[in-house]
Amino acid sequence: MNDSLNSGNVPEGGYSEAIPSLSHLSPPSTGQTKGVAPSDAPSHPINHIPLEILTEIFLHLPRSLEATEAPLILTGVCRKWREAALACPELWDTIILPLPSKGMTTRENRLIKMFLQRSGARPLNVDLGLVVNVYLRGVPKSHYQLVDMVVNSLVPHAGRIKVLNRVMPSHFLHQFSLGNLRRLEKLLICKDQDPSHIDRPAGERLPDSLRSLNLYETSFNITQMFPLPPLSQLHLRRPRGNGKLSVPQILNVLSELPRLRSCTLEISRSSATHPEETLNCLTPIILTDLEELHITWSNGIDVGAFLNVLETPSLVSIVLHCYLPRSCPWTEIINFIKRCKPPLKIFSFKLGGHGTVPLSFLNCLKECGKLEDLSLIRFNIDSTFLSALTFEPGRERLVPVLKYLDLEWCRFPEFTSLLKMLKSRGCELLDRDGRLKYHFRTCPNTAAGSDSELLNHCRIENPKMRLY
């Protein structure tokens, strides 16, 4: 045990399995303290674990309000562990409410008050557990009432909250005040049980300490929150009502955030129906530090105008998703990559309906020598494209370090071209480390057996198929 700790290696199974395995070291209870065994025998092994190492192990455990998990379970093993746990405020600074599916009682609110006391003056990490990717109609009203009780307990400690996840817009109208969240660095606001639209926290601006903002299915209009703090992460997902933004509005937001590193945008408002929002200048928006960009747009949105003015020389990952497109902005995408020459490792493009990959994209891929993950979903892939991806002797290899290839719901003129390409990047490649690690495709039930057998012969580590 000491060797693994000194070397910095995590025991197999993690610290959460290491803790129960140590519990047998505590001496048997003499009944002096109910539920807590005394550990005052000097020769007992538990007393020879330095307190700082014991505390460090504790801090690696996942924490919750459950009695069977840290930190509560640690207080019932032995006296030394209880004293160590109570003397460590860091153990009590994380408050994660159970998901609606698990249910809540008033017990959680009582525990949270105890956590707030034992965490001292520590910055708080709070997650209200309101799920962001399911319909709220199945969540009982009583659950929201219990969450409101918890929020009321947290309000006096608002100045300590560093992370606030899955909070509803209504909490900022009736309980939390952005002005009191002086330490807030990360904020995730999810959809409200109240269907009424709330545009923004009334009369307030985001705290200067905020570095990550995530709005999910809210009507919060970020353009009404200027000036914005120096965010490094901005995620605007499934906006509703006044939260929907057009291309000019999005560019206006990005121009305020030169330090942005990760960004998710859903552009769902057409400038054509709002003449006052037309793009009036072609000044480049330079985001030097941006590494991850995820853009979703709907039919009628000119995302090409967005890409034409964006400069992202450090971009590592770009994910594009278009619902039911009339046309794909391939020209703008290709020009964007050629112009910025980013060190891309991930490129993903998903369509709501089938489109065609132009051959000019192959020239674009020549600029992406570091690409490891390529996803083209719902496209028509012709044999010329597959041939270009095929490794052949004496020919320059396109995307030579590609590890993951996702061609879900793509149409191929012939399966043999796909198979030849996969073999050249699998069983025919002597360098095992350079082989394709993952391939995903969709095929009809009638071809499942034969396709699966042929794919297995390609010796790709993790070939997957979805049947229809």
Side-chain angles (χ1 to χ4, degrees), residues 70-184:
L72 292 175
I73 194 173
L74 302 175
T75 62
V77 175
C78 66
R79 182 175 291 116
K80 180 172 181 176
W81 283 28
R82 177 178 176 81
E83 291 172 354
L86 295 180
C88 181
E90 294 94 326
L91 268 179
W92 309 90
D93 63 10
T94 299
I95 296 172
I96 303 176
L97 296 187
L99 299 177
S101 58
K102 292 187 175 181
M104 276 181 60
T105 64
T106 55
R107 168 187 174 274
E108 281 79 14
N109 194 39
R110 293 194 300 270
L111 285 175
I112 284 168
K113 291 179 179 179
M114 181 179 70
F115 274 53
L116 291 171
Q117 180 183 7
R118 293 180 177 179
S119 59
R122 287 278 305 168
L124 298 173
N125 300 310
V126 178
D127 189 334
L128 297 184
L130 297 170
V131 183
V132 298
N133 58 354
V134 297
Y135 292 107
L136 291 173
R137 65 185 65 175
V139 180
K141 186 176 181 180
S142 59
H143 185 87
Y144 292 109
Q145 293 172 341
L146 291 169
V147 171
D148 285 341
M149 289 176 57
V150 170
V151 172
N152 288 331
S153 298
L154 290 169
V155 167
H157 302 269
R160 294 169 51 196
I161 297 178
K162 182 179 179 181
V163 176
L164 183 56
N165 280 334
R166 294 190 280 192
V167 59
M168 293 191 300
S170 57
H171 292 141
F172 290 99
L173 288 182
H174 308 301
Q175 290 150 308
F176 282 125
S177 167
L178 285 175
N180 293 333
L181 295 166
R182 298 181 297 275
R183 288 191 182 183
L184 191 63

Side-chain angles (χ1 to χ4, degrees), residues 431-451:
D431 179 14
R432 290 180 175 270
D433 292 335
R435 289 179 179 177
L436 200 64
K437 306 295 183 186
Y438 174 87
H439 167 63
F440 186 88
R441 69 181 293 264
T442 311
C443 70
N445 276 307
T446 54
S450 59
D451 283 11

Side-chain angles (χ1 to χ4, degrees), residues 5 8 12 17 46 67 77-78 89 172 178 216 307 361 406 465:
L5 289 172
E12 184 177 355
E17 293 187 10
I46 197 68
V77 175
C78 66
F172 290 99
L178 285 175
Y216 185 90
L307 294 173
F361 183 57
D406 188 345
M465 291 196 302

Side-chain angles (χ1 to χ4, degrees), residues 354 376-381 407-412 442:
H354 275 88
L376 296 171
I377 302 172
R378 288 189 183 275
F379 281 97
N380 299 317
I381 308 292
L407 300 176
E408 185 178 359
W409 294 109
C410 285
R411 295 172 178 169
F412 306 96
T442 311

Side-chain angles (χ1 to χ4, degrees), residues 320-367:
L320 307 170
H321 184 190
C322 180
Y323 298 113
L324 300 175
R326 293 176 182 170
S327 61
C328 295
W330 274 113
T331 301
E332 290 83 358
I333 293 170
I334 292 169
N335 290 339
F336 167 73
I337 295 176
K338 288 185 175 181
R339 183 180 72 249
C340 298
K341 298 186 185 303
L344 278 180
K345 291 186 177 181
I346 299 173
F347 180 90
S348 176
F349 195 176
K350 179 180 180 180
L351 291 184
H354 275 88
T356 301
V357 179
L359 296 182
S360 56
F361 183 57
L362 293 173
N363 293 326
C364 179
L365 288 178
K366 293 179 181 179
E367 307 283 343

Side-chain angles (χ1 to χ4, degrees), residues 40-87:
D40 50 6
S43 61
H44 200 277
I46 197 68
N47 291 307
H48 296 286
I49 299 179
L51 184 61
E52 59 273 15
I53 293 181
L54 191 61
T55 302
E56 185 66 26
I57 296 174
F58 288 174
L59 292 175
H60 279 79
L61 293 169
R63 283 168 267 172
S64 75
L65 300 177
E66 296 293 331
T68 56
E69 297 182 11
L72 292 175
I73 194 173
L74 302 175
T75 62
V77 175
C78 66
R79 182 175 291 116
K80 180 172 181 176
W81 283 28
R82 177 178 176 81
E83 291 172 354
L86 295 180

Side-chain angles (χ1 to χ4, degrees), residues 245-257:
L245 301 180
S246 64
V247 168
Q249 288 176 311
I250 289 288
L251 291 173
N252 192 23
V253 170
L254 294 182
S255 66
E256 296 279 319
L257 303 171

